[in-house]
Amino acid sequence: KTVKESQLATSMALRVLSGFKSRNRFVQLGSATLLLGCAVSMGPRLLSTKAATSSFKLISQTASIPHPEKADKGGEDAFFVSKNGYAVGVADGVGGWASQGVDPSIYSKSLMKWADSFVTSGAKEDGSFPSPKEVIDFAWKKSMGILGSSTAVVAIMHKDSNILSTANLGDSGFMLVRRGKMIYRSMEQTKGFNFPFQLGGDPRYSDKSIDSFEKDINVEKGDVLIVGSDGLFDNMFDQEILSALEESLATSLKVEPPKRPTNMEGPSKRPILEELEKSAAKFSSDTTMKPENYEKILKVFGSNHNLAMDIAKIASINGKSKTKNTPFAASAKEHRFLVQITTWQWTLLK
């Protein structure tokens, strides 16, 4: 094999080794990291065209539950929430680097440190922020030379409109929820089972920031943005995340939560965008996220009740279960992967 082929094979092996077979189920032993942002209106702003438009920023909550074996260093994920409330991001350090004597969190933390810095200092002459892809590119170039690799997702609210700009590379991602409905879900970028696109400190073997998938979305007051690492999305189906959010909000609002669907599972593959946009036109009345509750919900996001932690705890529990069916387990079954790990060796069969 060439050096590059060996690097790719090693990287894929490291990714696959992050899970193991137990009772014919796959268990994803990652960190569950997520950010929740609730869109709050900043009021109308007057543009150069003299037309008024509403702008928004995010009131955010964060949670990160590392794998127990990685808790001493705080896990391998990293995130940032800009002080001005306009930008958030998550990076998931590839855990396989630990077997090479490298702390994966160093690289992911570097990405998010520089991403946060660029959002704050990289404003353009007109006061607008750089695009999420520009932020990822800046952070990637600033982290060159650091051993490690990571997935990344960045979301930025426009100052002068209701547009949320996003960019994601790999399997860290986000979903936007409106009135209890998921209206958008980011698409994963993978090269194979458990082998996402990833940025790295060596440009010869890294994917490129230009590979990041960009999406602009119109937001409304009270929309909830959920940004997370694969420790969230590998261990909870989309409907589980929505139900957990509803139940956590209902607890804070002291109201009855909506009825839970009888089937919480879903396809391991991400939904088609057009299907989401079509279904989002029909919002359910059975939700705590009604317009009349928005002001109360905003207060919850500013309170001591950490909704993000409520959801992260469920993802963490699911990830440790030997019997729970998860998106990761469903995907492994689809790809017919069997992984057996012993003290001295590992075997990959397909």
Side-chain angles (χ1 to χ4, degrees):
K1 293 183 178 180
T2 65
V3 172
K4 187 169 185 178
E5 287 173 339
S6 297
Q7 178 76 9
L8 289 173
T10 300
S11 182
M12 185 172 186
L14 294 177
R15 292 296 299 180
V16 172
L17 282 172
S18 65
F20 68 90
K21 190 184 119 181
S22 178
R23 296 187 188 177
N24 298 318
R25 301 280 186 177
F26 264 78
V27 181
Q28 174 68 331
L29 297 177
S31 301
T33 297
L34 80 125
L35 310 174
L36 288 182
C38 188
V40 54
S41 175
M42 300 301 292
R45 294 197 176 192
L46 198 63
L47 303 181
S48 57
T49 58
K50 306 301 181 182
T53 182
S54 293
S55 61
F56 295 83
K57 71 175 183 178
L58 299 170
I59 299 178
S60 300
Q61 294 184 339
T62 64
S64 185
I65 303 178
H67 183 274
E69 295 178 1
K70 307 168 185 176
D72 58 334
K73 60 184 177 184
E76 296 164 349
D77 294 352
F79 61 85
F80 81 91
V81 177
S82 66
K83 292 181 180 179
N84 54 29
Y86 286 98
V88 296
V90 169
D92 177 9
V94 176
W97 283 98
S99 66
Q100 307 298 311
V102 176
D103 181 352
S105 69
I106 294 177
Y107 186 79
S108 60
K109 289 176 180 177
S110 177
L111 280 181
M112 292 296 95
K113 179 189 76 172
W114 288 113
D116 189 13
S117 172
F118 193 46
V119 169
T120 303
S121 63
K124 301 176 182 179
E125 292 184 0
D126 61 359
S128 63
F129 298 120
S131 72
K133 181 177 283 190
E134 290 174 329
V135 171
I136 290 176
D137 181 66
F138 179 85
W140 175 52
K141 291 175 178 176
K142 281 290 187 179
S143 302
M144 285 297 178
I146 300 175
L147 284 177
S149 56
S150 176
T151 63
V153 54
V154 172
I156 301 176
M157 286 296 313
H158 287 223
K159 278 186 174 182
D160 57 359
S161 72
N162 67 331
I163 296 177
L164 175 74
S165 290
T166 67
N168 68 287
L169 186 138
D171 56 5
S172 290
F174 68 93
M175 59 196 297
L176 188 68
V177 182
R178 178 175 301 154
R179 293 177 237 168
K181 274 274 193 178
M182 178 174 64
I183 65 167
Y184 186 76
R185 172 73 152 80
S186 61
M187 303 294 134
E188 287 186 342
Q189 294 173 303
T190 62
K191 300 176 182 180
F193 170 65
N194 206 30
F195 185 24
F197 280 61
Q198 52 197 264
L199 300 173
D202 188 334
R204 296 175 299 171
Y205 310 120
S206 171
D207 291 306
K208 312 302 180 185
S209 56
I210 196 173
D211 296 326
S212 303
F213 180 77
E214 294 180 290
K215 176 66 178 178
D216 287 348
I217 311 169
N218 292 323
V219 301
E220 297 180 5
K221 179 181 178 181
D223 284 0
V224 175
L225 175 68
I226 303 174
V227 185
S229 65
D230 65 350
L232 170 66
F233 297 113
D234 276 355
N235 291 317
M236 294 183 73
F237 288 100
D238 295 336
Q239 188 57 56
E240 283 185 282
I241 297 173
L242 292 176
S243 293
L245 174 61
E246 290 273 18
E247 291 186 9
S248 187
L249 278 172
T251 298
S252 282
L253 298 178
K254 298 180 180 180
V255 297
E256 285 293 321
K259 295 180 180 179
R260 292 171 61 92
T262 54
N263 182 16
M264 299 288 282
E265 298 180 4
S268 58
K269 293 181 179 179
R270 302 312 179 210
I272 299 173
L273 171 60
E274 289 75 17
E275 292 179 353
L276 288 179
E277 292 178 334
K278 184 178 179 180
S279 66
K282 300 178 180 179
F283 293 108
S284 172
S285 59
D286 187 20
T287 175
T288 56
M289 300 174 66
K290 300 176 182 178
E292 56 265 34
N293 287 339
Y294 284 169
E295 295 302 325
K296 295 179 181 178
I297 291 174
L298 291 177
K299 290 182 180 179
V300 172
F301 270 80
S303 72
N304 291 327
H305 183 181
N306 193 332
L307 306 172
M309 183 58 73
D310 288 348
I311 300 174
K313 285 179 179 178
I314 296 174
S316 180
I317 292 171
N318 288 356
K320 295 173 185 176
S321 173
K322 296 179 180 180
T323 57
K324 171 74 175 179
N325 192 30
T326 64
F328 184 82
S331 180
K333 185 177 181 180
E334 280 184 14
H335 289 83
R336 295 181 295 129
F337 268 85
L338 296 176
V339 177
Q340 180 179 5
I341 299 178
T342 67
T343 305
W344 300 104
Q345 64 180 9
W346 65 273
T347 304
L348 174 63
L349 304 173
K350 186 175 181 181

